[in-house]
Amino acid sequence: MRQVQRGQGAAPHSSAPPHGVPPQPTYTDGHADNGYDNGQGGGYNTGQVYGGGGPQGPGPDGRPGRPRPNWRRRIKWISITVVTLLVVVSVGTYFWADSKLNRDVDLSKVIDRPDGGEGTNYLIVGSDSREGMTAEDKKKLHTGSAEGKRTDSMMILHVGDNGNTMVSLPRDSNVTIPTFKGSESGKTFPGTGRQVKLNAAYAEDGPELLVRTVESNTGLRIDHYAEIGFGGFAKIVDSVGGVEIDIPKGGMKDTKSGADFEAGKQTLDGEQALAFVRTRYALAGSDLDRTKNQQKFLSALANQTATPSTVLNPFKLYPTLGSGLDTLTVDKDMSLWNLGSMFWAMKGITGGEGKSMNMPISGNTGNGNLQWDTAKVKTLVNQLKNDEKVTVSGN
């Protein structure tokens, strides 16, 4: 019987492990060949790390490395988040500020109104209202304790495409009270040709009669009304950190208003600012010079309020808006957009982008009031109505 020698006819030696036995690493020059390129041509390297999520190779310990951050995606989502927050804050601020406006003046009660023209006309009023002021406040601000409300300053601000114009209306201007409808009673009071100082119209029946009187005596339609009292004015000035004003040579001192200023540039706080705009007896031109100071200060205040240090600083912006809007009385149709337009126009006038003037005066009437220059006023009103550059000069 043929004997088969052990080992003869068997399959050549194979590197494959027996079934069920895991593959064992082979060794080349004493180093394990684990499937990765060792730099000597052994194994392979495709440049891919399975499960690594990107082209980055294995770490030092042979494990898959962390995927590289996708900065483009991160920047995109950061931008979306920031824009969303800005929109939410802006919308929230708008509705918060809008809710604080005191829309108490109803211009629909004004009768026999002139036709509107080009541009927008604001009647800006500073009243001697002491509402919300304590006895200590009144003493500190030298306001006295008179009952009721009177207008301490009045001005028309025209906002148009051909330059903005601010026209002060002296409180002692001689005007005729026209036929009007009572703002509270609704009763019609026929005009009798009665001539009074302009501020008497406000004292008699409030903002609606004042607007009616201004429109009747000028022929210019008033689109919006804005009024602020003594206390509110001082609060706004304090909230913006004061307003810088250049006091003219000789300084200013008036015991009735409390003004006591040396000449030169200085920053006025709320108390000092109120004294500055109310001073008349220490000025050579009395009420005419006071209206010029009022224009000067209001423009400077608008300029200070609109600075980046106020608008971009929420710790300053919100107190300023709060103190200003809480004490501001406007007409029912006044929007925040209108209010912003009014302030930006005043700011522009400070920077020379417009004109400020007094209503042209021709002299005094028999009752001691200031008489407007009829011819100049007519030209001025026509230029404002047509939104033309104002060429008329005031006192």
Side-chain angles (χ1 to χ4, degrees):
M1 183 176 199
R2 186 179 176 182
Q3 292 184 352
V4 179
Q5 188 175 354
R6 185 182 296 262
Q8 287 183 355
H13 176 72
S14 171
S15 61
H19 180 69
V21 179
Q24 301 298 312
T26 59
Y27 293 84
T28 304
D29 297 331
H31 295 283
D33 181 3
N34 53 13
Y36 295 107
D37 187 359
N38 61 8
Q40 300 178 1
Y44 62 91
N45 188 349
T46 65
Q48 293 289 336
V49 178
Y50 296 106
Q56 187 167 324
D61 58 357
R63 295 181 181 177
R66 264 175 120 180
R68 293 193 183 106
N70 190 332
W71 287 108
R72 183 177 298 176
R73 188 176 181 185
R74 289 188 181 185
I75 292 173
K76 173 186 174 182
W77 281 108
I78 290 173
S79 300
I80 291 174
T81 302
V82 171
V83 170
T84 301
L85 285 174
L86 286 175
V87 170
V88 171
V89 171
S90 298
V91 171
T93 300
Y94 178 89
F95 284 105
W96 169 79
D98 188 74
S99 68
K100 284 186 166 292
L101 279 177
N102 300 310
R103 295 184 173 93
D104 298 332
V105 179
D106 189 355
L107 296 184
S108 68
K109 294 179 180 179
V110 181
I111 62 173
D112 299 334
R113 309 192 68 186
D115 294 333
E118 301 294 326
T120 305
N121 299 314
Y122 298 85
L123 182 59
I124 303 172
V125 174
S127 74
D128 64 359
S129 171
R130 298 158 178 82
E131 186 176 351
M133 294 175 62
T134 64
E136 184 178 350
D137 291 335
K138 294 174 184 177
K139 182 178 179 181
K140 178 183 177 182
L141 298 175
H142 300 271
T143 65
S145 300
E147 296 297 326
K149 291 197 303 181
R150 284 153 294 275
T151 50
D152 217 47
S153 63
M154 293 159 283
M155 57 190 71
I156 294 172
L157 174 64
H158 174 81
V159 179
D161 295 331
N162 290 305
N164 305 318
T165 304
M166 186 182 291
V167 184
S168 284
L169 310 174
R171 56 181 287 178
D172 293 340
S173 297
N174 191 69
V175 294
T176 300
I177 297 293
T179 298
F180 70 96
K181 182 182 290 186
S183 59
E184 296 295 332
S185 66
K187 179 181 177 182
T188 298
F189 296 88
T192 60
R194 178 165 51 103
Q195 295 188 332
V196 297
K197 292 180 179 180
L198 180 58
N199 67 340
Y202 180 96
E204 187 171 330
D205 197 47
E208 288 84 1
L209 179 55
L210 177 61
V211 171
R212 168 76 178 119
T213 302
V214 170
E215 289 186 342
S216 175
N217 284 265
T218 63
L220 185 69
R221 186 183 181 96
I222 299 300
D223 299 297
H224 292 292
Y225 177 93
E227 174 192 328
I228 192 165
F230 282 162
F233 179 80
K235 285 180 181 178
I236 293 177
V237 174
D238 285 334
S239 68
V240 298
V243 176
E244 186 179 78
I245 285 292
D246 191 359
I247 304 298
K249 186 177 179 180
M252 183 185 297
K253 189 167 185 176
D254 182 3
T255 56
K256 291 192 175 182
S257 68
D260 188 5
F261 308 119
E262 299 291 334
K265 287 186 178 180
Q266 50 199 285
T267 299
L268 307 185
D269 61 21
E271 177 184 350
Q272 295 169 324
L274 188 58
F276 177 78
V277 299
R278 293 183 63 217
T279 296
R280 63 185 297 197
Y281 297 105
L283 305 175
S286 188
D287 199 39
L288 291 177
D289 281 349
R290 178 170 70 165
T291 56
K292 294 176 183 178
N293 282 342
Q294 289 169 347
Q295 286 184 352
K296 179 180 178 180
F297 190 88
L298 285 178
S299 296
L301 174 60
N303 188 62
Q304 176 69 22
T305 305
T307 57
S309 63
T310 298
V311 176
L312 300 179
N313 183 352
F315 298 102
K316 201 171 182 179
L317 174 63
Y318 284 95
T320 301
L321 284 175
S323 61
L325 298 176
D326 276 344
T327 55
L328 196 64
T329 299
V330 298
D331 65 273
K332 293 185 181 296
D333 294 326
M334 176 81 85
S335 67
L336 286 178
W337 177 265
N338 298 135
L339 196 60
S341 176
M342 183 184 82
F343 269 92
W344 278 104
M346 293 168 64
K347 178 181 183 295
I349 289 175
T350 302
E353 300 174 1
K355 181 173 184 174
S356 61
M357 58 182 287
N358 274 328
M359 185 65 86
I361 303 295
S362 61
N364 293 84
T365 61
N367 56 13
N369 299 338
L370 295 173
Q371 180 63 52
W372 293 349
D373 187 317
T374 306
K376 285 187 176 182
V377 170
K378 183 177 180 180
T379 301
L380 171 63
V381 169
N382 285 335
Q383 289 176 338
L384 294 179
K385 271 189 173 184
N386 297 320
D387 195 23
E388 299 171 350
K389 184 176 180 180
V390 172
T391 60
V392 178
S393 60
N395 297 71

